[in-house]
C-alpha cells in the first residue's frame, strides 16, 4: 500500500497525461483481444469450412487492427514518455532548489559526488515509473484481462488449467523483486562513490599531476567502477531470472494446452477454431505477464531511488527567520556563544561586541576556530549555545535574505562561476548596470587586466575562473563585494595564497573595500593586524585576549608569539 501511495504522490502533477494514457491503453488492449477473437473465425469459418472468399476480408481486418494498435501505441508512448521527461525535469528542479536552502552543515556529511548522483542518476531511474510501471498498469493488465476473457469464453477449463500457474509466477517475481531493490540500493550507493571520485579527479587534477598520482587515482576509480559493475550485473541476473521463470512457465502452459486441448479436439469436445483461439490468447497473455514481471523489478529499483531522493528532500531547510532588517547601525554581539560539530566543541563561550564601523582582526593558530566564528555571522551555522545579536535582534529571528544582504565576504577560497566577468561581478547585485560594474572593477584594480582581454567584461572565465590568475580572481571577488556595497565585510585570509605583486594590488583593493564598513578580518598581513581597531586572539576555540596591537604586544604572550611568527615570514595567523 505504501508504494501505491508513493506512486500517486509522484504522478499526481501529471494526472491528465496519465488519464489520457489510460484511455489509449484500454483501446490498445481491446484491439489485442479482438485479434485473438478473430482467430476462431479464420480457422473455423474460412479454413475448415473452406469459405476462402472471406480470407481477403479477414486479412484486411488484421491489417487495419494492427495499424490502429500501432497508432494507439505511438500516442500512448508519446504521452507517457513525455510525462516521464517532465517528472525528471521537475524532480531535478525540486532537488536543486532544496539543496540551495539546506543548512551548510549538511555538506559536511554528504560529499558532492553523492549529491550529484542523487540529482542525476537516481532521478533518471524515476523515468521507469512511467515507461515501465504505469505502462504495465495501463496496457499489460487490461491486455491480460481481455485475453483471458477471450480464452475463458472459448474454453474455461482449459484456460483455468493455465491460470493455476500464475500464483507461482507472482510469488517468484515478488521474491526476486525484493532482492532487486536491495541490490539497486547498493548499486546506486556505489555509483555515487564513482561520481564522487570523478568529481575529485576534475577538481584536484593539478595536485594529482604534481604528485604523479595519476595511476593511484585511476586505480581507485577503476576499483569503485568495478564494484558498480558487479552490483549492476547482480541486478541484471535477478531481473533476467524473472524473465526466464516466466518463459519456462509459458512453455509449460502452452505444452499443457497442446496436450489437453488436442485431446479435446480429437474427441470432438471443441472445434479447431476454439482450440486455436485459446492457444493464441494464452500465448499472447504471457508477453504482458513477462512485462508485468519486468515492471515489478523496475518498481523495486524506483523504490530504492525514491528513498535516496526523499532523504535529500526530507533534510530540513534553513530557518529563514521573520524579522526583516534593512541596515546595520549599532553592533554585533556574541553572548556566551559556543558551537559544536559532531559533538566536538569548536567555539567555547565566546563573548564579543563589534561596534558598527570597527575593524576587528581575528588571529590564532590553525584550527583555533577563526573561520567558524565568522561563519556564524551570515548564519551558515547556528550557535549550539548562546546568542548572536545584530542591533539587539537575535540573529536566529532575522530574515535570512535581509541579513545576508548586509554582508559581503571575500575569502582565500575564491568562488567564481563559469560565466562572463560582467555576470560574476554583478552576482551580488543583479540590477547593476555596466557602468556600475566597471566602476567597482576599477576600485578593485581589476580594470587593468579586464580591458586587455579581447572580449573585456564579456569574457567567459571558465569553471571557478581558472582562466584567470589567483590575483585576478581575487580582484574580481573584491569587485563583486564592492558592487554589493554591504555595511558588514568579512575578509577570510583574502591574500594568503598570492604572490607579492598580486598581493600588493589586492591589498590596495581591500583597503578601498574596507572604507566606511564594519570589517571582520581573519588576519594575514601585518598591516591589517596593526591598523585594526581591536584584535581578537583565539586559542583552541576560546577568546584569550582582546585589545589593540600595542596593548596585546605588552600584555598577551599568545599574541606576541603569533606576531613574531607572522613578522618572521615563516607562516600566517
Amino acid at each position: 500500500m505504501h508504494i501505491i501511495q508513493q506512486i500517486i504522490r509522484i504522478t499526481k502533477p501529471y494526472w491528465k497525461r496519465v488519464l489520457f494514457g489510460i484511455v489509449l491503453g484500454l483501446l490498445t488492449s481491446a484491439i489485442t483481444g479482438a485479434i485473438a477473437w478473430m482467430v476462431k473465425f479464420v480457422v473455423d469459418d474460412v479454413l475448415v469450412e473452406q469459405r476462402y472468399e472471406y480470407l481477403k476480408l479477414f486479412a484486411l481486418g488484421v491489417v487495419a487492427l494492427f495499424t490502429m494498435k500501432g497508432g494507439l501505441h505511438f500516442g500512448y508512448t508519446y504521452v507517457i514518455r513525455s510525462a516521464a521527461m517532465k517528472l525528471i525535469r521537475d524532480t531535478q528542479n525540486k532537488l536543486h532548489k532544496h539543496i540551495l536552502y539546506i543548512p551548510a552543515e549538511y555538506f559536511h556529511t554528504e560529499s558532492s559526488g553523492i549529491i550529484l548522483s542523487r540529482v542525476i542518476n537516481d532521478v533518471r531511474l524515476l523515468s521507469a515509473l512511467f515507461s515501465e510501471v504505469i505502462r504495465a498498469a495501463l496496457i499489460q493488465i487490461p491486455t491480460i484481462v481481455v485475453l483471458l476473457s477471450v480464452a475463458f469464453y472459448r474454453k474455461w477449463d482449459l484456460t483455468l488449467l493455465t491460470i493455476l500457474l500464475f500464483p507461482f509466477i507472482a510469488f517468484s517475481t515478488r521474491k526476486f523483486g525484493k532482492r532487486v531493490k536491495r541490490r539497486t540500493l547498493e548499486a546506486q550507493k556505489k555509483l555515487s562513490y564513482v561520481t564522487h571520485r570523478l568529481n575529485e579527479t576534475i577538481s584536484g587534477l593539478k595536485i594529482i599531476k604534481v604528485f604523479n598520482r595519476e595511476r593511484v587515482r585511476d586505480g581507485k576509480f577503476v576499483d569503485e567502477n568495478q564494484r558498480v559493475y558487479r552490483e549492476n550485473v547482480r541486478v541484471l541476473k535477478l531481473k533476467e531470472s524473472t524473465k526466464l521463470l516466466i518463459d519456462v512457465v509459458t512453455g509449460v502452459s502452452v505444452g499443457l494446452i497442446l496436450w489437453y486441448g488436442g485431446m479435446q479436439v480429437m474427441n470432438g469436445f471443441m472445434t479447431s477454431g476454439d482450440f486455436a483461439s485459446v492457444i493464441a490468447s494464452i500465448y499472447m497473455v504471457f508477453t504482458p505477464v513477462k512485462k508485468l514481471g519486468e515492471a515489478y523489478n523496475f518498481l523495486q529499483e524506483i523504490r530504492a531511488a525514491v528513498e535516496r531522493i526523499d532523504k535529500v528532500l526530507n533534510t530540513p531547510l534553513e530557518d529563514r527567520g521573520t524579522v526583516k532588517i534593512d541596515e546595520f547601525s549599532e553592533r554585533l554581539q556574541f553572548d556566551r556563544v559556543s558551537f559544536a560539530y559532531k559533538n566536538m566543541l569548536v567555539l567555547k563561550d565566546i563573548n564579543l561586541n563589534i561596534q558598527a564601523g570597527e575593524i576587528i582582526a581575528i588571529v590564532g593558530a590553525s584550527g583555533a576556530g577563526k573561520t567558524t566564528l565568522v561563519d556564524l555571522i551570515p548564519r551558515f551555522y547556528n550557535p549550539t549555545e548562546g546568542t548572536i545579536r545584530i542591533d539587539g535582534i537575535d540573529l536566529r529571528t532575522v530574515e535570512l535574505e535581509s541579513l545576508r544582504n548586509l554582508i559581503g565576504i571575500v575569502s582565500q577560497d575564491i568562488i567564481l562561476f563559469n560565466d562572463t566577468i560582467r555576470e560574476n561581478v554583478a552576482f551580488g547585485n543583479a540590477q547593476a548596470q555596466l557602468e556600475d560594474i566597471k566602476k567597482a572593477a576599477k576600485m578593485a584594480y581589476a580594470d587593468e587586466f579586464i580591458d586587455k582581454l579581447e572580449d573585456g567584461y564579456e569574457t567567459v572565465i571558465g569553471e571557478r575562473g581558472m582562466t584567470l590568475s589567483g590575483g585576478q580572481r581575487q580582484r574580481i571577488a573584491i569587485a563583486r563585494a564592492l558592487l554589493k556595497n554591504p555595511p558588514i565585510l568579512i575578509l577570510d585570509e583574502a591574500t594568503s595564497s598570492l604572490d607579492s605583486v598580486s598581493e600588493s594590488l589586492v591589498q590596495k583593493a581591500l583597503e578601498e573595500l574596507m572604507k566606511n564598513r564594519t570589517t571582520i578580518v581573519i588576519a594575514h598581513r601585518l598591516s591589517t593586524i596593526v591598523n585594526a581597531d581591536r584584535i581578537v586572539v583565539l586559542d583552541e576555540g576560546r577568546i584569550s585576549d582582546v585589545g589593540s596591537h600595542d596593548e596585546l604586544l605588552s600584555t598577551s604572550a599568545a599574541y606576541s608569539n603569533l606576531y613574531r611568527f607572522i613578522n618572521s615570514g615563516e607562516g600566517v595567523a
Side-chain angles (χ1 to χ4, degrees), residues 45-76:
D45 297 346
V46 177
L47 300 180
V48 175
E49 297 295 330
Q50 298 184 354
R51 300 170 69 180
Y52 298 119
E53 65 272 18
Y54 292 108
L55 189 59
K56 184 183 293 185
L57 182 63
F58 276 113
L60 290 173
V62 168
V63 171
L65 286 172
F66 271 95
T67 301
M68 290 171 61
K69 182 181 177 183
L72 289 167
H73 188 268
F74 171 83
Y76 164 81

Side-chain angles (χ1 to χ4, degrees), residues 275-513:
F275 180 49
S277 184
V278 171
I279 287 180
S281 299
I282 295 301
Y283 182 75
M284 289 170 71
V285 97
F286 277 100
T287 297
V289 166
K290 184 187 289 188
K291 292 186 180 298
L292 273 182
E294 294 174 18
Y296 186 78
N297 286 329
F298 274 115
L299 185 60
Q300 300 312 309
E301 291 187 279
I302 291 165
R303 289 182 68 182
V306 167
E307 285 180 14
R308 289 166 58 84
I309 291 168
D310 282 348
K311 187 177 179 182
V312 177
L313 292 177
N314 291 333
T315 301
L317 300 178
E318 293 175 301
D319 181 359
R320 304 301 294 177
T322 56
V323 181
K324 188 174 182 179
I325 57 174
D326 296 318
E327 60 180 2
F328 170 61
S329 57
E330 297 177 16
R331 64 180 179 175
L332 273 169
Q333 181 183 10
F334 288 74
D335 184 8
R336 301 179 65 84
V337 169
S338 296
F339 178 77
Y341 173 67
K342 289 187 176 180
N343 299 319
M344 183 178 70
L345 272 176
V346 180
L347 296 173
K348 307 162 190 174
D349 200 29
I350 301 294
N351 289 287
L352 177 65
N353 287 326
I354 302 173
Q355 300 299 322
E358 263 194 309
I359 297 175
I360 299 294
I362 301 175
V363 299
S366 178
K370 303 185 295 295
T371 299
T372 303
L373 179 64
V374 297
D375 280 348
L376 293 175
I377 298 172
R379 271 189 59 203
F380 294 150
Y381 311 101
N382 287 314
T384 308
E385 295 179 11
T387 306
I388 304 173
R389 297 182 181 88
I390 182 168
D391 288 348
I393 305 169
D394 188 338
L395 221 58
R396 286 190 180 91
T397 67
V398 175
E399 184 186 74
L400 269 182
E401 186 173 354
S402 65
L403 171 66
R404 291 170 181 170
N405 278 338
L406 302 177
I407 300 169
I409 297 177
V410 180
S411 68
Q412 61 179 327
D413 184 20
I414 307 300
I415 302 298
L416 298 176
F417 300 94
N418 188 16
D419 210 326
T420 63
I421 290 175
R422 177 175 58 83
E423 289 293 336
N424 273 281
V425 174
F427 193 75
N429 185 352
Q431 308 305 318
Q433 301 299 312
L434 182 58
E435 182 181 341
D436 301 318
I437 293 168
K438 288 183 175 180
K439 183 179 178 181
K442 185 174 182 179
M443 292 173 68
Y445 298 92
D447 60 327
E448 58 89 16
F449 75 84
I450 296 174
D451 291 338
K452 294 175 183 177
L453 298 171
E454 183 177 351
D455 296 321
Y457 286 85
E458 299 304 318
T459 302
V460 177
I461 60 176
E463 186 176 358
R464 294 181 67 89
M466 295 308 292
T467 60
L468 305 177
S469 70
Q472 290 170 340
R473 291 198 299 272
Q474 196 67 283
R475 280 177 277 167
I476 293 292
I478 293 169
R480 181 168 62 191
L482 278 163
L483 190 62
K484 185 178 183 182
N485 194 27
I488 301 171
L489 179 64
I490 296 171
L491 303 178
D492 187 355
E493 299 188 298
T495 62
S496 63
S497 59
L498 302 178
D499 59 75
S500 57
V501 176
S502 296
E503 186 177 4
S504 176
L505 284 170
V506 169
Q507 185 59 32
K508 287 199 291 185
L510 287 174
E511 288 167 2
E512 190 70 41
L513 179 60

